Amino acid sequence: MPFPHMLEELDLGFTKLNNRVVMGSMHTGLEEVKNGFDRMATYYRDRARGGVGLIITGGFAPNFEGRVSPFASQLSFRWQIKNHKKITKAVHEEGGKIALQILHAGRYAYHPFNVAPSAIKAPIGLFKPRALSEKGIERTINDFVQCAVLAKEAGYDGVEVMGSEGYLINEFIAKRTNKRKDQWGGSYENRIRLPLEILKRMRERVGEDFIIIYRLSILDLVEDGSHWDEIKELAKKVESHGATIINSGIGWHESRVPTIATRVPRAAFAECSKEIKSVVSIPVIAVNRINTPAKAEEVLQNGFSDLVSLARPLLADSEFVNKASEQRENEINVCIACNQACLDHTFKGKVSSCLVNPMACHETFYEEKKVEKVKQIAVVGAGPAGLAFSFAAARRGHKVTLYESEKNIGGQFNMAKKIPGKEEFEETLRYYGEMMKKWGVQLKLGTRVETNDLLLGEYDEVILATGVNPRVPKIKGIGHPKVLLYTDVLKKGVEVGKKVAVIGAGGIGFDVSEFLLQDPAKVSAGLDKKEYFKKWGVDTTQARPGGLLEKIEEEEPFRTIYLCQRKTSKLGAGLGKTTGWAHRLALKKDGVHMLAGVEYKEISDQGLLIVHNGKEKTLEVDHVIICSGQTPKRNLFPELEEAGVNVHLVGGANEAKELDAKGAIKEATLLALKI
Ligand code: NAP
Ligand code: SF4
């Protein structure tokens, strides 16, 4: 059997899980939209059909105060059960199992009625919370229990009590947020009273034949968090108070350590779960950045945990488990941990989806039907848009020929994957490569097509996914040999001096800066866990409560970089909500000079002459790198259109402004679904 540890059944006594893969809780925004429960039923049904052992829903609050935002989901009343039954029925029909996550947001709630152990505002919060009274605490415990009882009535196989990530329960546990003087604060025994009371009373009410998962914060990654002795003590008590499974939680939301972004090495935190596994006899789940069957198998084989949790990877590919068990793991559409269409959407109040799988959470909208009339389609350009179109069109039954002037597929992704921490982009190219073979797309690499080639009447439709050209700004001296385009650096590998000015601080300007800060001599085969922990000050031995090092060792930056933009706003303001802060922090750690409100005057032998803060100054640099956006590359379009060819532009060739892979892949996929 492939992946024997991952695919092994888990007997919980009163019930069995088909394998060791848990779909971790992830709020998708479907919880709050019209017809959201019907959409969730389909979304979870697909994941159950795809073979996952246990699904955990997005968080539902046990009461109004605990809602993440004023209109966020809550399960407190019997009339709400009917909707939940749609989900549980759909999952059970596929032979799956599903637990409801109970999430009380505590001081992270984005509304003025938020509560916490003490009235201390979260650094990432909008509203100062009200400290819960003792009566309020009692009521909150009852609300958690009631929520679990309702979940059982709705047909869920269990619940997950969210005790990590800096939400209410975690706030009670940590000294950082709990300054109470009553029986709910002070000693550790008092601070863990809340989760233990919840678990004890919940078990009494739901009976023995119901899964209760407790999500335990095993590494807070904030000052004044818990330390290993305390966490292990809590784990033991969580077991004795009725939990069936312990899930691991890594890092509070206010932590300044990235824990799930692409830059985090795969399964970086899984070993921490072993500490918990060593002190309890109930199963333990390892989490964060486990995105392939091989990694999941390795974690389980190493004995780090009994189960693995994958949230985003199941968004990216609902068939993750089935593909692995059928030895088709090369066909898995791997999550690249970009957060661009999932968490970034959630934090903007939009329904989640997935950059590499735009159908995710929109299953009921975009139906993929086999074609009635097979068309001959030419696609020009094998970047993300061309690949996504070719795959989706060929899968529907069209005959697709994909032309690419380069020797490899991938387009802009071939540059993205060279950025430190973005190596995962290679997975998407690997996946598309497999899909081209599987669905019989004729791939013509190293072939530059001209208009005449497409005018021979061979094709019913022509798709131009020709991408973009770097925009060259009009600055005096732009032709100077010091000037390089980002493509010269990332694609052509032109050697760059030690002092550099980067013009343009969008996604590419940030990426180029990160690329140039890396010492090529130190580039290892993959992301290194030790290096990552060192850079971000993580101490998994938790010598200090919370697991942060007292001081981060500073290293001499590999290059001096001036990152410039004309706007006066914060640099990187347009980057992803959940990853932008980490990009900014990473560059700051490496001493990048971030200059906003810059006027570019001239590029000369001396360097780059700018006006900044009202003063003229010369940045004495060896190279000036242009990262000032792109313009569409669509030279083939006018003649084809004029000749009456059914021609379509997709991706950057259609609209370069603020276009990224997310938009390109979605646009191309939707075109393929209707062509
Ligand atoms: P971008 O995000 O549009 O940024 C272009 C930058 O160039 C801006 O900082 C802009 O700032 C500057 N600029 C524009 N016109 C200029 C001119 N004429 N002269 C001088 N400066 C000029 O474009 P990009 O960085 O090329 O990225 C392309 C797309 O890929 C974007 O959608 C981006 O979000 C996405 N992407 C995202 C990431 C990520 O999230 N990490 C990484 C890579 C790419 P001023 O106008 O203020 O000077
Ligand atoms: Fe993963 Fe990015 Fe998709 Fe989110 S949007 S599930 S991070 S690939």
Side-chain angles (χ1 to χ4, degrees):
M1 181 165 69
F3 311 109
H5 295 84
M6 185 183 94
L7 297 173
E8 190 188 349
E9 194 181 73
L10 179 66
D11 191 348
L12 294 170
F14 58 92
T15 188
K16 282 181 183 164
L17 304 183
N18 288 336
N19 54 63
R20 306 303 179 102
V21 182
V22 176
M23 179 177 178
S25 174
M26 196 161 163
H27 199 85
T28 60
L30 290 176
E31 296 81 357
E32 288 91 25
V33 296
K34 192 167 165 237
N35 299 330
F37 280 87
D38 295 308
R39 290 175 66 181
M40 272 190 283
T42 309
Y43 164 68
Y44 288 125
R45 180 200 295 273
D46 282 2
R47 271 77 199 158
R49 189 178 290 161
V52 65
L54 174 67
I55 294 169
I56 305 175
T57 67
F60 283 81
N63 56 29
F64 177 73
E65 298 154 344
R67 290 184 184 194
V68 176
S69 61
F71 301 105
S73 47
Q74 177 183 342
L75 175 59
S76 305
F77 310 104
R78 294 212 70 235
W79 60 264
Q80 294 171 315
I81 288 178
K82 197 170 145 215
N83 266 334
H84 285 271
K85 281 189 172 165
K86 293 178 184 173
I87 297 177
T88 54
K89 183 168 174 279
V91 169
H92 291 153
E93 277 172 1
E94 296 297 335
K97 297 232 155 45
I98 183 160
L100 175 117
Q101 190 192 62
I102 311 178
L103 165 75
H104 189 305
R107 68 178 191 157
Y108 283 162
Y110 276 97
H111 56 70
F113 309 103
N114 66 346
V115 294
S118 306
I120 307 166
K121 190 165 107 47
I124 56 167
L126 270 189
F127 302 96
K128 185 173 170 179
R130 172 173 62 80
L132 273 171
S133 64
E134 289 213 51
K135 224 166 132 189
I137 294 173
E138 277 296 326
R139 189 172 42 75
T140 304
I141 296 170
N142 290 337
D143 292 340
F144 267 92
V145 175
Q146 170 71 357
C147 188
V149 169
L150 293 174
K152 189 172 182 189
E153 276 187 51
Y156 286 103
D157 302 281
V159 291
E160 176 172 82
V161 176
M162 182 40 149
S164 65
E165 260 70 3
Y167 290 116
L168 183 84
I169 293 177
N170 214 175
E171 289 159 18
F172 266 85
I173 295 169
K175 267 194 204 147
R176 173 185 182 83
T177 37
N178 185 342
K179 309 289 176 193
R180 299 179 74 96
K181 302 262 185 289
D182 56 14
Q183 57 161 334
W184 304 97
S187 66
Y188 191 60
E189 194 188 348
N190 282 352
R191 285 183 277 124
I192 60 175
R193 195 181 302 280
L194 178 70
L196 299 182
E197 280 300 313
I198 290 172
L199 289 173
K200 189 177 83 181
R201 295 190 212 176
M202 193 177 275
R203 180 53 80 202
E204 281 164 11
R205 285 289 304 281
V206 297
E208 291 303 317
D209 59 343
F210 191 63
I211 299 169
I212 300 181
I213 306 161
Y214 180 78
R215 186 128 188 226
L216 174 71
S217 185
I218 63 170
L219 198 57
D220 290 329
L221 300 179
V222 288
E223 291 296 334
D224 265 343
S226 303
H227 58 75
W228 273 129
D229 290 347
E230 291 176 336
I231 297 162
K232 286 181 186 172
E233 185 189 329
L234 177 55
K236 286 191 244 171
K237 289 193 167 145
V238 160
E239 178 175 14
S240 64
H241 282 69
T244 323
I245 297 172
I246 294 181
N247 194 359
S248 309
I250 308 288
W252 289 32
H253 287 316
E254 68 203 61
S255 165
R256 294 293 85 187
V257 179
T259 53
I260 57 168
T262 319
R263 68 180 64 239
V264 181
R266 286 181 182 175
F269 296 99
E271 202 169 351
C272 298
S273 297
K274 196 176 171 189
E275 298 282 335
I276 303 304
K277 190 168 151 52
S278 67
V279 295
V280 296
S281 54
I282 52 175
V284 173
I285 309 177
V287 293
N288 286 34
R289 290 285 284 122
I290 302 168
N291 61 344
T292 61
K295 208 22 109 178
E297 181 67 14
E298 185 189 306
V299 167
L300 295 165
Q301 191 172 12
N302 284 340
F304 293 168
S305 64
D306 306 282
L307 296 135
V308 286
S309 168
L310 291 78
R312 297 170 299 168
L314 270 293
L315 207 61
D317 198 328
S318 60
E319 291 185 87
F320 184 97
V321 176
N322 284 352
K323 286 180 181 174
S325 62
E326 290 159 14
Q327 290 180 299
R328 293 190 290 126
E329 65 274 17
N330 55 340
E331 291 183 17
I332 292 178
N333 194 1
V334 170
C335 163
I336 56 173
C338 63
N339 286 358
Q340 275 176 256
C342 53
L343 294 179
D344 282 350
H345 278 208
T346 306
F347 281 90
K348 282 193 224 151
K350 285 168 68 180
V351 171
S352 289
S353 189
C354 171
L355 182 142
V356 299
N357 173 20
M359 313 289 258
C361 299
H362 295 74
E363 291 82 0
T364 54
F365 287 174
Y366 308 133
E367 207 188 339
E368 187 189 288
K369 282 196 197 134
K370 286 282 173 203
V371 292
E372 282 166 16
K373 179 180 176 300
V374 177
K375 290 180 180 176
Q376 297 289 336
I377 303 178
V379 181
V380 187
L387 289 166
F389 176 89
S390 302
F391 161 50
R395 193 157 77 162
R396 289 189 60 218
H398 289 307
K399 296 275 175 230
V400 181
T401 307
L402 173 57
Y403 294 97
E404 169 58 52
S405 60
E406 302 278 335
K407 291 205 176 70
N408 302 309
I409 60 165
Q412 302 269 318
F413 266 29
N414 286 316
M415 287 188 274
K417 73 183 191 191
K418 290 187 185 157
I419 309 302
K422 287 200 169 177
E423 294 81 356
E424 292 281 10
F425 280 73
E426 173 63 29
E427 287 288 355
T428 307
L429 298 183
R430 179 203 50 73
Y431 168 72
Y432 277 128
E434 290 293 334
M435 292 302 105
M436 296 304 107
K437 278 189 254 162
K438 178 167 175 143
W439 297 102
V441 172
Q442 271 205 52
L443 200 49
K444 306 245 176 181
L445 293 175
T447 310
R448 180 171 291 283
V449 277
E450 301 299 341
T451 316
N452 284 341
D453 303 325
L454 301 167
L455 290 176
L456 303 172
E458 269 180 83
Y459 299 110
D460 301 308
E461 311 272 350
V462 173
I463 312 300
L464 296 182
T466 35
V468 291
N469 284 317
R471 180 192 291 128
V472 182
K474 290 190 181 81
I475 300 171
K476 194 172 167 197
I478 193 74
H480 194 280
K482 274 182 190 287
V483 177
L484 297 175
L485 299 175
Y486 69 85
T487 43
D488 294 326
V489 179
L490 296 178
K491 195 166 155 188
K492 297 184 185 155
V494 173
E495 213 158 294
V496 178
K498 282 291 219 176
K499 289 180 88 180
V500 170
V502 176
I503 290 186
I508 306 275
F510 268 74
D511 277 359
V512 164
S513 302
E514 289 212 41
F515 177 80
L516 291 174
L517 285 166
Q518 166 188 252
D519 179 350
K522 284 196 195 161
V523 180
S524 55
L527 293 173
D528 181 76
K529 199 163 93 173
K530 269 196 204 142
E531 282 293 313
Y532 156 76
F533 285 155
K534 194 169 119 194
K535 175 158 185 163
W536 293 93
V538 176
D539 170 21
T540 53
T541 68
Q542 309 213 43
R544 298 174 69 242
L548 292 177
L549 292 171
E550 192 161 10
K551 198 167 170 288
I552 298 178
E553 252 178 72
E554 280 179 21
E555 279 184 23
E556 190 64 27
F558 185 66
R559 280 193 173 87
T560 303
I561 298 182
Y562 299 90
L563 178 58
C564 312
Q565 69 173 27
R566 298 170 302 177
K567 289 186 284 288
T568 50
S569 53
K570 181 170 72 175
L571 271 79
L575 298 177
K577 181 106 178 128
T578 58
T579 50
W581 64 270
H583 285 297
R584 270 192 300 278
L585 203 54
L587 294 194
K588 275 193 188 149
K589 279 176 192 288
D590 279 323
V592 171
H593 304 272
M594 302 215 187
L595 310 182
V598 172
E599 189 187 333
Y600 308 110
K601 295 299 252 185
E602 185 179 1
I603 301 159
S604 67
D605 288 349
Q606 278 68 48
L608 174 64
L609 177 65
I610 58 167
V611 178
H612 185 236
N613 290 338
K615 285 193 197 123
E616 243 185 30
K617 65 175 160 190
T618 300
L619 305 177
E620 291 173 8
V621 292
D622 307 310
H623 284 108
V624 176
I625 303 180
I626 306 298
C627 304
S628 53
Q630 292 104 0
T631 53
K633 209 196 288 180
R634 52 164 84 138
N635 48 321
L636 299 176
F637 185 76
E639 277 185 65
L640 290 174
E641 197 186 33
E642 204 176 308
V645 173
N646 291 329
V647 58
H648 310 261
L649 289 162
V650 289
N654 184 29
E655 171 68 79
K657 190 168 169 277
E658 304 221 331
L659 185 105
D660 56 17
K662 181 182 77 173
I665 291 175
K666 182 170 179 182
E667 187 191 329
T669 305
L670 297 192
L671 178 63
L673 291 186
K674 64 178 189 206
I675 207 157

